[in-house]
Amino acid sequence: MSMNSQGRPTAPTADNDTGEMTPVFESFSGHQGLRIAEPLVFELGTTQTTGVDVEEIEDFELSVGGLERDSEIGCPGLAEPDVVRHFTRLSRRNYGIDMGVFPLGSCTMKHNPRLNEKMARLPGFGDIHPLQPLSTVQGALELMTELSHWITTLTGMPAVALSPKAGAHGELCGVMAIRAALEARGDAREIVLCPESAHGTNPATAAFCGYKVKSIPAKENGRVDAEALKAALDDTVAAVMITNPNTCGLFEDEIKDIADAIHAAGAFFYCDGANFNAIMGKVRPGDLGVDAMHLNLHKTFSTPHGGGGPGSGPVVFSDALKDFAPMPYVVAGADGFDIVEDGDDTSLGRLTAYHGQMGMYVRALSYMMSHGSDGIRQAAEDAVLNANYVLASLGDVMSASFDGPCMHEALFDDRFLKDTGVTTLDFAKAMIDEGYHPMTMYFPLVVHGAMLVEPTETESKYNMDQFIRSMRGLATEARAGKTARFEGAPYHAPWKRLDETQAARQPVLRYTVPEAAE
Ligand SMILES: *Cc1c(COP(=O)(O)O)cnc(C)c1O
């Protein structure tokens, strides 16, 4: 039985030395202690009941022009406590940044400071509508202007478009601006170059904008092959999309030289700025020759990520591209702030219905202002320090893909698992039993069986040591041929191994009433 330092038992069941387990009985309820069985919401309620008591509606004239629904809506009627319990129980099966270390690489899953939430709920930011008269939202427009100032200062770029709603959307914005700039000079080009290590959204964006994508190989040291890139540059290349630091967690050290070559060929340099967390306050992309770059506010600037909140992907532009930035944008005039929504002839147009993710602007600016410029630099330094701590602590039992220190994420591959029968997938599933969300698996594609770990600056030494202990334990067992805990992992998760391919390709998104119940 494991004991804490005070001699009190911390875990009632497993005894690692004897392997003795407390017997587990089937419960009558189907629940297992705090692990409560949860049916679908449709199975909990019925369409015949309702959780609210409303008066019978008197006869009325329908005014939807024949578009009224002709079938039942099919939603189960549940009382409020049942709805609250259902979603609370589901939420407890989820893993989030508020539960523990979330080491997904390139995602920068950092803590979302509660101060941000408080600011975003201030009525002047939280309770406004995009169609309100501008005279009543001057504070919000000032905040957008202030945020733009921080972003352009940190990146060393002259202009920013706030409205894109995610990193991928920002890429779309940037490449559309590049296309608009090329068309304006009557120079339609057809190719976009992407390194092999690129995030899938880069080639997808280029293809979506009508370009052919050409892949540029990586060198032995994990950086893009600058010579191969230069050889591929000619007057058919519209843009080169490079992530820096790249998805191997490495700084592209020839980036300035590459940028000069891109410009000499008349092309544009799109930088994927998803990994800006590693260099903010240290390096300004504007000084590296970048023409357009998105920032992921939900990564670098601590706004909620994934299911926790909408993304936001502002794009910064160089002088060569800034006239092609999308509308709307905020301008400061003698009578206060105004929004330019149309009439800008060079702008690529509009990418969003309104002005973007206001709530995320407030959170990101709160993060920036509460850190200050020195704090932002420190956050980048600590993120890099933490990643290198992981790399140095695990380098002897796992196989680091590249020599030397890393930036914000540590990349391992599956060479240390060779001939053990354990795969990267098994290893990741065993991490779930350890109480961790797995790291990024099988990406980047430039190494075999990749495991990409990004701890971020918000993990303390205590958390890092616990995580490292766990990873060391798993790696050591796998190498020693003790594969039992990997074979059926996860043993302790509510759901075991799902068919992830089918879930991605053929998701079942609609509940169908079982025939017997109809
Ligand atoms: C996250 C990420 C993206 C895409 O950003 P989203 O906000 O998820 O659309 C693009 N490139 C890299 C390198 C990323 O890590």
Side-chain angles (χ1 to χ4, degrees), residues 323-336:
D323 291 344
F324 305 95
M327 293 179 284
Y329 51 86
V330 179
V331 287
D335 304 324

PDB file of all heavy atoms in Angstrom, residues 323-336:
ATOM      1  N   ASP A 323      -1.669  46.376 -47.093  1.00  0.00           N
ATOM      2  CA  ASP A 323      -2.819  46.969 -47.784  1.00  0.00           C
ATOM      3  C   ASP A 323      -3.858  45.928 -48.187  1.00  0.00           C
ATOM      4  O   ASP A 323      -4.976  46.276 -48.548  1.00  0.00           O
ATOM      5  CB  ASP A 323      -2.365  47.701 -49.054  1.00  0.00           C
ATOM      6  CG  ASP A 323      -1.569  48.941 -48.701  1.00  0.00           C
ATOM      7  OD1 ASP A 323      -1.650  49.374 -47.527  1.00  0.00           O
ATOM      8  OD2 ASP A 323      -0.866  49.464 -49.588  1.00  0.00           O
ATOM      9  N   PHE A 324      -3.458  44.658 -48.134  1.00  0.00           N
ATOM     10  CA  PHE A 324      -4.372  43.596 -48.585  1.00  0.00           C
ATOM     11  C   PHE A 324      -5.063  42.900 -47.414  1.00  0.00           C
ATOM     12  O   PHE A 324      -5.820  41.963 -47.607  1.00  0.00           O
ATOM     13  CB  PHE A 324      -3.605  42.592 -49.457  1.00  0.00           C
ATOM     14  CG  PHE A 324      -2.918  43.256 -50.613  1.00  0.00           C
ATOM     15  CD1 PHE A 324      -1.593  43.645 -50.540  1.00  0.00           C
ATOM     16  CD2 PHE A 324      -3.647  43.566 -51.761  1.00  0.00           C
ATOM     17  CE1 PHE A 324      -0.980  44.314 -51.597  1.00  0.00           C
ATOM     18  CE2 PHE A 324      -3.037  44.226 -52.820  1.00  0.00           C
ATOM     19  CZ  PHE A 324      -1.704  44.599 -52.743  1.00  0.00           C
ATOM     20  N   ALA A 325      -4.794  43.366 -46.205  1.00  0.00           N
ATOM     21  CA  ALA A 325      -5.383  42.770 -44.992  1.00  0.00           C
ATOM     22  C   ALA A 325      -6.903  42.831 -45.060  1.00  0.00           C
ATOM     23  O   ALA A 325      -7.470  43.681 -45.748  1.00  0.00           O
ATOM     24  CB  ALA A 325      -4.867  43.519 -43.767  1.00  0.00           C
ATOM     25  N   PRO A 326      -7.571  41.904 -44.357  1.00  0.00           N
ATOM     26  CA  PRO A 326      -9.036  41.861 -44.437  1.00  0.00           C
ATOM     27  C   PRO A 326      -9.702  43.002 -43.669  1.00  0.00           C
ATOM     28  O   PRO A 326      -9.100  43.610 -42.796  1.00  0.00           O
ATOM     29  CB  PRO A 326      -9.374  40.522 -43.790  1.00  0.00           C
ATOM     30  CG  PRO A 326      -8.252  40.280 -42.824  1.00  0.00           C
ATOM     31  CD  PRO A 326      -7.027  40.867 -43.461  1.00  0.00           C
ATOM     32  N   MET A 327     -10.939  43.254 -44.019  1.00  0.00           N
ATOM     33  CA  MET A 327     -11.811  44.110 -43.210  1.00  0.00           C
ATOM     34  C   MET A 327     -12.619  43.183 -42.312  1.00  0.00           C
ATOM     35  O   MET A 327     -12.736  42.004 -42.631  1.00  0.00           O
ATOM     36  CB  MET A 327     -12.749  44.899 -44.125  1.00  0.00           C
ATOM     37  CG  MET A 327     -12.011  45.912 -44.982  1.00  0.00           C
ATOM     38  SD  MET A 327     -13.139  46.806 -46.084  1.00  0.00           S
ATOM     39  CE  MET A 327     -13.475  45.593 -47.350  1.00  0.00           C
ATOM     40  N   PRO A 328     -13.212  43.642 -41.244  1.00  0.00           N
ATOM     41  CA  PRO A 328     -13.156  45.012 -40.753  1.00  0.00           C
ATOM     42  C   PRO A 328     -11.898  45.251 -39.920  1.00  0.00           C
ATOM     43  O   PRO A 328     -11.258  44.316 -39.487  1.00  0.00           O
ATOM     44  CB  PRO A 328     -14.399  45.067 -39.855  1.00  0.00           C
ATOM     45  CG  PRO A 328     -14.523  43.694 -39.311  1.00  0.00           C
ATOM     46  CD  PRO A 328     -14.042  42.776 -40.406  1.00  0.00           C
ATOM     47  N   TYR A 329     -11.563  46.518 -39.760  1.00  0.00           N
ATOM     48  CA  TYR A 329     -10.488  46.872 -38.822  1.00  0.00           C
ATOM     49  C   TYR A 329     -10.827  48.195 -38.153  1.00  0.00           C
ATOM     50  O   TYR A 329     -11.636  48.975 -38.654  1.00  0.00           O
ATOM     51  CB  TYR A 329      -9.123  46.902 -39.500  1.00  0.00           C
ATOM     52  CG  TYR A 329      -9.038  47.710 -40.765  1.00  0.00           C
ATOM     53  CD1 TYR A 329      -8.777  49.081 -40.730  1.00  0.00           C
ATOM     54  CD2 TYR A 329      -9.205  47.103 -42.017  1.00  0.00           C
ATOM     55  CE1 TYR A 329      -8.683  49.819 -41.911  1.00  0.00           C
ATOM     56  CE2 TYR A 329      -9.114  47.833 -43.190  1.00  0.00           C
ATOM     57  CZ  TYR A 329      -8.858  49.191 -43.130  1.00  0.00           C
ATOM     58  OH  TYR A 329      -8.777  49.923 -44.288  1.00  0.00           O
ATOM     59  N   VAL A 330     -10.209  48.395 -37.000  1.00  0.00           N
ATOM     60  CA  VAL A 330     -10.506  49.574 -36.184  1.00  0.00           C
ATOM     61  C   VAL A 330      -9.528  50.692 -36.548  1.00  0.00           C
ATOM     62  O   VAL A 330      -8.342  50.438 -36.746  1.00  0.00           O
ATOM     63  CB  VAL A 330     -10.370  49.231 -34.681  1.00  0.00           C
ATOM     64  CG1 VAL A 330     -10.654  50.457 -33.814  1.00  0.00           C
ATOM     65  CG2 VAL A 330     -11.299  48.083 -34.308  1.00  0.00           C
ATOM     66  N   VAL A 331     -10.053  51.919 -36.680  1.00  0.00           N
ATOM     67  CA  VAL A 331      -9.164  53.070 -36.872  1.00  0.00           C
ATOM     68  C   VAL A 331      -9.481  54.119 -35.802  1.00  0.00           C
ATOM     69  O   VAL A 331     -10.620  54.217 -35.347  1.00  0.00           O
ATOM     70  CB  VAL A 331      -9.326  53.712 -38.280  1.00  0.00           C
ATOM     71  CG1 VAL A 331      -8.720  52.823 -39.355  1.00  0.00           C
ATOM     72  CG2 VAL A 331     -10.787  54.012 -38.588  1.00  0.00           C
ATOM     73  N   ALA A 332      -8.446  54.850 -35.412  1.00  0.00           N
ATOM     74  CA  ALA A 332      -8.642  55.907 -34.417  1.00  0.00           C
ATOM     75  C   ALA A 332      -8.757  57.234 -35.147  1.00  0.00           C
ATOM     76  O   ALA A 332      -7.912  57.565 -35.971  1.00  0.00           O
ATOM     77  CB  ALA A 332      -7.463  55.930 -33.449  1.00  0.00           C
ATOM     78  N   GLY A 333      -9.849  57.961 -34.889  1.00  0.00           N
ATOM     79  CA  GLY A 333     -10.030  59.259 -35.528  1.00  0.00           C
ATOM     80  C   GLY A 333     -10.180  60.352 -34.485  1.00  0.00           C
ATOM     81  O   GLY A 333     -10.098  60.084 -33.276  1.00  0.00           O
ATOM     82  N   ALA A 334     -10.401  61.578 -34.947  1.00  0.00           N
ATOM     83  CA  ALA A 334     -10.534  62.704 -34.029  1.00  0.00           C
ATOM     84  C   ALA A 334     -11.741  62.525 -33.105  1.00  0.00           C
ATOM     85  O   ALA A 334     -11.724  62.932 -31.942  1.00  0.00           O
ATOM     86  CB  ALA A 334     -10.671  64.001 -34.828  1.00  0.00           C
ATOM     87  N   ASP A 335     -12.794  61.857 -33.617  1.00  0.00           N
ATOM     88  CA  ASP A 335     -14.012  61.683 -32.818  1.00  0.00           C
ATOM     89  C   ASP A 335     -14.075  60.324 -32.147  1.00  0.00           C
ATOM     90  O   ASP A 335     -15.155  59.802 -31.865  1.00  0.00           O
ATOM     91  CB  ASP A 335     -15.258  61.850 -33.704  1.00  0.00           C
ATOM     92  CG  ASP A 335     -15.255  63.188 -34.405  1.00  0.00           C
ATOM     93  OD1 ASP A 335     -14.787  64.158 -33.776  1.00  0.00           O
ATOM     94  OD2 ASP A 335     -15.682  63.257 -35.575  1.00  0.00           O
ATOM     95  N   GLY A 336     -12.961  59.697 -31.951  1.00  0.00           N
ATOM     96  CA  GLY A 336     -12.966  58.385 -31.307  1.00  0.00           C
ATOM     97  C   GLY A 336     -12.664  57.283 -32.299  1.00  0.00           C
ATOM     98  O   GLY A 336     -12.181  57.540 -33.400  1.00  0.00           O
TER      99      GLY A 336
END
